[in-house]
Amino acid sequence: MNAEGRTRLDQLPEWHALSKHRDEFGLTHLRRLFEDDPQRAERYTVRVGDLHIDYSKNLVTDETLRLLRQLAEAAGVARLRDAMFEGEKINVTEDRAVLHTALRTPESATVRVDGENVMRKVHQVLIRMGTFAGRIREGHWRGHTGERIKNIVNIGIGGSDLGPKMAYEALRPYTRRDMTFRFVSNVDGADLHEAVRDLDPAETLFIVASKTFTTVETLTNAKAARAWLLAGLGGDSSAVAKHFVAVSTNAEKVAEFGINTDNMFEFWDWVGGRYSYDSAIGLSLMVAIGPECFGDMLAGFHLVDEHFRSAPFEANAPLLLGLLGIWYGNFHDAQSHAVLPYSHYLSQFTAYLQQLDMESNGKSTTREGGPVEWQTGPVVWGTPGTNGQHAYYQLLHQGTKMIPADLIGFADPVSELGELRDQHDLLMANLFAQGQALAFGKTAEEVRAEGVPEAQVPHRTFPGNRPTTTILASALTPSVLGQLVALYEHKVFVQGAIWDIDSFDQWGVELGKVLAKRLEPALTEGAPVPGLDASTRALVDRYRSLRGR
Ligand code: F6P
């Protein structure tokens, strides 16, 4: 029991019940589970909005699911969920509310932070964003020399980059194809260089996106972008006003940087960076897809928010996905989770989820400050199918590790593919085949029956029993993308709530930032760094000598 009077997670009777169940259930094979229950596929499918989520190929029974739900109840998931939606300061270490859900809530609702209804300002910013996006798209916002803006470069990192970039890629068929959109994040100058080298500064607008407006990578790139712009436009610094806008919570720093705050789009400290792309951080996306599609995406988010908030535990999709992760991570020692989208447009989706999940739940301290004694967030990884099949799926099928995976696919390919649409059945056949092979494998008897020489039988046998969840939707529309992202956001929430960690802070990224700042003068000027370890010292010296310093 901790000081809050809360029993430690791994001392709850519900936790022990799951351990016992795991010992009894073992790794009962999915072949058997399906044989025993002809209704399994139907019974273990949950629908939310446009998402059809088949979790039947997971290593669970009704009893497993019942015990997992009991654990969620005992851990107070519903209480914390309601507190989040109500604007309570559940980000305890930063003393902040967690209200990304307000960003997609209709204006008529009331959502309070410190007694203030925030819905009005949320919608005011959306309207300003819509006006700005419209002016760019219609050619009314002109550059310094009167040219139409044809290129948008978003400069941001982490949550100020990954979300808009992922969604831009996901929704490419909905974007203005006559405009160019680029995303610059890395402090490696090569990123900015490659993003702007073929652009005309007169036609280029930069969106500097940073919640804090103190992030060194973003400010460094923004300064370099300003220099590139001014060099291309004859050095007149008044050009900045037509070519730079900012998205931030920090008006003071935006002004300090030299961007007029009239050209700033606001959001608030109760929106976490990795939960922010449906705020003004999505401005580049809104220019790309237009305010209407952006609104459809928000509606998709909201639909899943409402589902998460109100669906009973048995049919609550984010809760179920969260619990499945707990089952594998905490009771089967799974270390990672693969997200495998069978859509080229979702090429950035897993990278986006890495921040969402790993920055949220990569913690080892409880909300109260004690050490956690159980596994927390998994390593999230994956790339779009079918490419992964020809790279690392070998390990998924025959390796020694348990790696639960999500397979994501869509019934309709986008219409503009024309004749290439015919390839879609082959793509989806691969998705279904992988789920099937991972679950059911191929027995030695089946291999032998094919006449395979005995010496090769063990090599060509597939154990199966590798858990997957299949998420199928009709098409990758803006609304469906919103639904998918909200599904994962709330899944991460459920897990963090059970693990008793603060999913909304990110102290673990701070140390590296501080050390980099301290080391930089050693690299540039050879400045002494007191207390520097021998390995880092030698590396810095070697680096300096390679650079001829
Ligand atoms: O890496 C830490 C982090 O604070 C992320 O959480 C955030 O998304 C990113 O840096 C960028 O921060 P900002 O939007 O303040 O520039």
Side-chain angles (χ1 to χ4, degrees):
M1 187 141 347
N2 67 22
E4 276 177 338
R6 188 181 150 127
T7 304
R8 249 178 58 165
L9 177 64
D10 58 350
Q11 288 169 5
L12 287 170
E14 290 79 3
W15 183 274
H16 292 303
L18 276 160
S19 297
K20 186 161 170 276
H21 173 66
R22 186 261 335 272
D23 294 344
E24 287 159 7
F25 176 69
L27 289 173
T28 304
H29 207 285
L30 281 164
R31 283 180 178 238
R32 200 172 118 207
L33 296 176
F34 273 85
E35 270 159 26
D36 287 354
D37 179 5
Q39 307 302 317
R40 184 174 170 92
E42 204 178 306
R43 291 199 312 111
Y44 287 7
T45 292
V46 59
R47 287 181 190 82
V48 45
D50 297 298
L51 308 178
H52 172 106
I53 305 168
D54 176 343
Y55 59 98
S56 63
K57 295 193 188 80
N58 280 283
L59 311 182
V60 293
T61 60
D62 289 356
E63 177 68 353
T64 323
L65 294 168
R66 189 181 67 78
L67 293 172
L68 284 165
R69 287 193 298 268
Q70 282 181 354
L71 180 71
E73 272 157 29
V77 173
R79 199 170 52 244
L80 197 68
R81 172 198 63 192
D82 295 344
M84 173 175 75
F85 279 99
E86 292 302 321
E88 282 179 38
K89 296 192 173 169
I90 64 162
N91 177 354
V92 285
T93 72
E94 295 180 331
D95 193 28
R96 286 178 180 164
V98 175
L99 270 179
H100 44 280
T101 51
L103 301 169
R104 53 261 191 158
T105 298
E107 194 172 3
S108 52
T110 301
V111 180
R112 291 191 195 283
V113 179
D114 288 331
E116 181 203 358
N117 181 9
V118 296
M119 290 318 305
R120 192 140 169 261
K121 57 187 189 187
V122 165
H123 284 267
Q124 275 170 351
V125 172
L126 276 172
I127 289 167
R128 279 193 66 219
M129 289 167 65
T131 306
F132 172 78
R135 288 183 67 201
I136 298 276
R137 288 164 64 88
E138 284 147 31
H140 299 320
W141 178 297
R142 297 270 166 166
H144 182 60
T145 54
E147 300 297 316
R148 193 178 174 134
I149 296 296
K150 292 189 187 147
N151 316 310
I152 300 286
V153 180
N154 187 82
I155 300 181
I157 197 163
S160 300
D161 166 69
L162 290 163
K165 182 163 73 185
M166 175 279 289
Y168 169 72
E169 290 298 334
L171 300 176
R172 260 183 192 261
Y174 296 84
T175 61
R176 281 288 292 260
R177 298 292 202 174
D178 57 347
M179 292 182 69
T180 299
F181 293 86
R182 303 260 164 87
F183 296 85
V184 173
S185 52
N186 200 328
V187 77
D188 183 342
D191 199 2
L192 179 64
H193 169 71
E194 291 298 334
V196 298
R197 55 178 288 283
D198 57 346
L199 303 184
D200 178 352
E203 300 175 340
T204 303
L205 181 131
F206 292 93
I207 299 178
V208 185
S210 174
K211 179 175 170 178
T212 55
F213 232 77
T214 58
T215 304
V216 71
E217 290 91 334
T218 299
L219 297 187
T220 306
N221 278 325
K223 273 185 206 138
R226 186 169 54 187
W228 173 84
L229 181 93
L230 294 182
L233 293 181
D236 180 356
S237 62
S238 68
V240 170
K242 292 284 173 61
H243 293 268
F244 272 80
V245 300
V247 179
S248 189
T249 59
N250 193 340
E252 211 175 295
K253 292 277 177 202
V254 169
E256 210 174 279
F257 179 81
I259 297 178
N260 188 335
T261 46
D262 289 348
N263 290 343
M264 169 182 155
F265 297 83
E266 193 191 5
F267 67 113
W268 307 275
D269 73 358
W270 39 263
V271 180
R274 53 194 173 273
Y275 297 87
S276 67
Y277 98 76
D278 44 358
S279 72
I281 288 291
L283 188 61
S284 51
L285 176 68
M286 193 195 266
V287 176
I289 65 174
E292 208 175 302
C293 282
F294 198 86
D296 291 348
M297 185 186 75
L298 295 184
F301 271 101
H302 183 61
L303 184 152
V304 174
D305 292 344
E306 289 300 294
H307 164 87
F308 178 50
R309 203 173 182 176
S310 58
F313 271 18
E314 301 77 46
N316 195 308
L319 183 100
L320 274 165
L321 296 191
L323 291 177
L324 289 169
I326 299 275
W327 180 231
Y328 297 123
N330 297 110
F331 297 94
H332 289 283
D333 284 334
Q335 299 290 313
S336 80
H337 184 90
V339 179
L340 309 168
Y342 278 70
S343 163
H344 195 69
Y345 289 112
L346 286 183
S347 62
Q348 299 301 313
F349 190 64
T350 310
Y352 168 77
L353 289 186
Q354 282 181 326
Q355 189 200 16
L356 176 66
D357 201 325
M358 295 165 77
E359 196 167 82
S360 294
N361 284 344
K363 313 278 166 69
S364 50
T365 305
T366 65
R367 291 161 63 81
E368 240 215 339
V372 298
E373 305 287 351
W374 43 88
Q375 287 288 317
T376 59
V379 175
V380 176
W381 62 281
T383 51
T386 57
N387 300 18
Q389 290 173 209
H390 296 273
Y392 50 78
Y393 275 42
Q394 163 67 39
L395 185 146
L396 297 186
H397 286 287
Q398 290 186 318
T400 52
K401 296 169 176 59
M402 174 188 273
I403 303 178
D406 296 345
L407 304 167
I408 304 172
F410 304 93
D412 285 333
V414 304
S415 54
E416 67 181 49
L417 293 188
E419 285 178 6
L420 293 171
R421 286 169 59 86
D422 295 346
Q423 296 181 198
H424 195 68
D425 290 340
L426 181 56
L427 173 72
M428 292 302 289
N430 272 278
L431 181 159
F432 298 131
Q434 289 301 324
Q436 192 188 359
L438 287 163
F440 305 113
K442 193 171 182 183
T443 63
E445 290 67 44
E446 287 166 340
V447 177
R448 271 186 207 106
E450 287 174 356
V452 169
E454 194 55 34
Q456 282 199 15
V457 168
H459 299 287
R460 293 168 69 166
T461 299
F462 289 69
N465 221 26
R466 319 253 153 158
T468 59
T469 300
T470 305
I471 304 177
L472 188 62
S474 53
L476 183 52
T477 62
S479 168
V480 165
L481 182 68
Q483 293 172 41
L484 259 182
V485 174
L487 178 73
Y488 280 97
E489 282 179 350
H490 297 317
K491 170 200 164 176
V492 167
F493 175 92
V494 166
Q495 297 188 332
I498 292 176
W499 290 324
D500 191 22
I501 54 180
D502 186 339
S503 298
F504 301 100
D505 62 14
Q506 55 285 317
W507 299 107
V509 301
E510 293 306 319
L511 179 60
K513 290 186 195 172
V514 172
L515 296 183
K517 206 169 169 188
R518 201 186 296 162
L519 277 175
E520 197 194 352
L523 272 61
T524 50
E525 301 148 25
V529 182
L532 191 59
D533 67 275
S535 163
T536 311
R537 172 81 269 159
L539 287 167
V540 169
D541 290 347
R542 180 74 185 141
Y543 170 82
R544 280 180 57 77
S545 98
L546 286 170
R547 293 218 55 184
R549 290 183 181 149

